[in-house]
Amino acid sequence: MERPDIDPEERLILDVASYFFSFVGFLEMFMKVTAFGMIFGNTSYVRSPWNVMDGLLVIVSVVQILISLVVNELKQILSILNIFRVLRVFRLLRIVKLFPRLALNTLVTSMKPILNILLICFVFFFFYGIVGVQLFKGKFFYCVGEDLNNIVNKSDCLSANYHWERKEYNFDSLLQAMLTLFVMYTKDGWVNIMYDGLDAVGVDQQPIKNYNKWILLYFLSFMMMSFVLLDMFIGVMVQTFHQCQLIQTQEDEELRNEEHLSRSQGTEGRPNS
C-alpha cells in the first residue's frame, strides 16, 4: 500500500498498523525468550535462524518507532533506518516452514537435473539465435509516417521527413536475438514477432505484408521445440517427486519398524507378574 501520493488519513492508518504489528512481533519475541531462554540451552531463542531474523526485524522496528516518536528533527537517522524496513520482506520466508517435507525435498533434489536442462536450453537458444541473426539482421526496421505508400527503403523514409525506427524485439545481434527468443519462449507476444519476421524484406527495406511465408518454418519450429523443453521441466519435477515420495515412504516404514522393535524389546524385558 506504500506509494508516493498517499493521503494523510491513509498514512495514519498505515502507521498505526505498523505499530500494531511491531508490538505483536515484540510480544512474540518476549514470550519465546521467556519460555526457551535467550542464549543458553538447546532450544534457546538464538539457536533458530528464524528467531534471529524475527528478532532483528523487531529490534529495527522498535528503534525506528522510538526515534520517530521522540526525535522528530533527526530526519537523516530515520532515513537510514527506513533502509532496514526492507528486511521485513524476509518475513515471507517463514512460510517455507509450513511446506510439506516432501515438497521441499523434491525442490532441492530436482535442482541438479534442472540445471542440466537449463544448459540444453542455452544451447537451444544459442543455435536459434545464430540462425535468427543470419536471417533477420538489420531487417526489423520500419518507417513511421502518415503516407507510406511510396516508401520502399530507409532513404525514401528519411527523404519524406519520416522516422526510421527499429522493432523492440529484433535479431541485430546475438544477445538481442536470444532475448527475442526468450520472449517468444514465454509465449508472450510471439505471434507479433513472427509476423515481423514474415514481413521483413531486407536491410534498410520497408516491410511488406506476408513477404516471405517460408520464414514461418523458423518460428514454428522454435515454438514446437520450446514446448518440448517445457515438458522436460515438468517431467523432471514429476519424476523427482515420485523418487522423493518412495524414499520418504521407505524412511517412514523403517522408522515404524524401529519403534515397533523397541516396543517389543521393552515388553520382553518386563518381569512376569
Side-chain angles (χ1 to χ4, degrees):
M1 297 176 65
E2 291 283 353
R3 60 186 186 277
D5 56 344
I6 189 170
D7 55 85
E9 290 81 7
E10 192 173 356
R11 169 57 62 191
L12 178 61
I13 296 176
L14 290 179
D15 290 339
V16 172
S18 177
Y19 297 157
F20 173 76
F21 288 113
S22 298
F23 172 76
V24 171
F26 177 78
L27 182 62
E28 178 189 13
M29 177 182 176
F30 176 77
M31 294 175 64
K32 284 186 176 181
V33 171
T34 304
F36 303 112
M38 185 67 182
I39 300 176
F40 303 102
N42 295 329
T43 60
S44 60
Y45 186 82
V46 297
R47 292 297 180 94
S48 174
W50 302 104
N51 292 336
V52 174
M53 182 184 68
D54 289 341
L56 179 62
L57 295 175
V58 169
I59 293 173
V60 171
S61 300
V62 171
V63 171
Q64 182 185 9
I65 292 174
L66 293 178
I67 294 179
S68 63
L69 294 177
V70 177
V71 185
N72 294 324
E73 301 86 27
L74 300 179
K75 299 295 183 181
Q76 186 175 3
I77 298 179
L78 292 178
S79 62
I80 295 176
L81 290 176
N82 285 332
I83 299 176
F84 292 97
R85 296 177 66 181
V86 181
L87 297 175
R88 297 180 181 179
V89 179
F90 291 100
R91 283 184 176 271
L92 295 176
L93 294 177
R94 301 182 64 182
I95 303 177
V96 176
K97 296 190 298 183
L98 303 179
F99 290 169
R101 183 164 60 94
L102 179 59
L104 292 177
N105 293 338
T106 303
L107 180 62
V108 174
T109 309
S110 61
M111 291 303 297
K112 184 177 180 179
I114 285 180
L115 290 177
N116 296 331
I117 296 179
L118 288 178
L119 180 60
I120 297 176
C121 289
F122 175 79
V123 176
F124 170 71
F125 276 76
F126 189 78
F127 171 77
Y128 270 89
I130 293 178
V131 176
V133 171
Q134 299 299 319
L135 293 176
F136 304 110
K137 181 176 63 175
K139 298 181 181 180
F140 272 46
F141 285 83
Y142 65 102
C143 186
V144 178
E146 296 178 359
D147 186 10
L148 302 178
N149 293 326
N150 298 323
I151 302 300
V152 179
N153 50 37
K154 179 180 179 180
S155 299
D156 297 338
C157 180
L158 297 179
S159 299
N161 293 326
Y162 293 157
H163 298 284
W164 187 253
E165 297 183 359
R166 182 172 60 180
K167 298 287 185 179
E168 181 180 3
Y169 301 108
N170 54 78
F171 294 84
D172 287 353
S173 64
L174 180 59
L175 182 62
Q176 183 64 42
M178 295 180 68
L179 176 62
T180 303
L181 293 174
F182 177 77
V183 174
M184 294 178 58
Y185 179 77
T186 60
K187 315 299 184 294
D188 183 18
W190 72 273
V191 177
N192 296 328
I193 299 176
M194 181 184 67
Y195 285 153
D196 292 337
L198 178 64
D199 300 339
V201 177
V203 179
D204 294 337
Q205 298 293 317
Q206 176 70 5
I208 298 177
K209 186 176 181 180
N210 299 332
Y211 177 77
N212 188 3
K213 295 182 179 180
W214 288 102
I215 211 67
L216 294 177
L217 296 176
Y218 171 80
F219 295 98
L220 295 180
S221 62
F222 174 82
M223 296 307 299
M224 291 176 61
M225 290 299 299
S226 66
F227 280 109
V228 172
L229 293 177
L230 181 61
D231 290 340
M232 290 176 63
F233 278 103
I234 298 176
V236 166
M237 294 299 296
V238 172
Q239 183 180 5
T240 307
F241 180 83
H242 180 65
Q243 293 176 353
C244 293
Q245 190 177 27
L246 292 178
I247 294 175
Q248 183 174 344
T249 302
Q250 293 175 359
E251 292 178 353
D252 294 340
E253 185 176 357
E254 291 177 357
L255 182 61
R256 287 194 297 267
N257 292 335
E258 291 178 358
E259 293 179 354
H260 179 71
L261 181 61
S262 61
R263 291 178 181 176
S264 300
Q265 292 177 352
T267 305
E268 293 176 356
R270 292 179 183 177
N272 294 328
S273 58

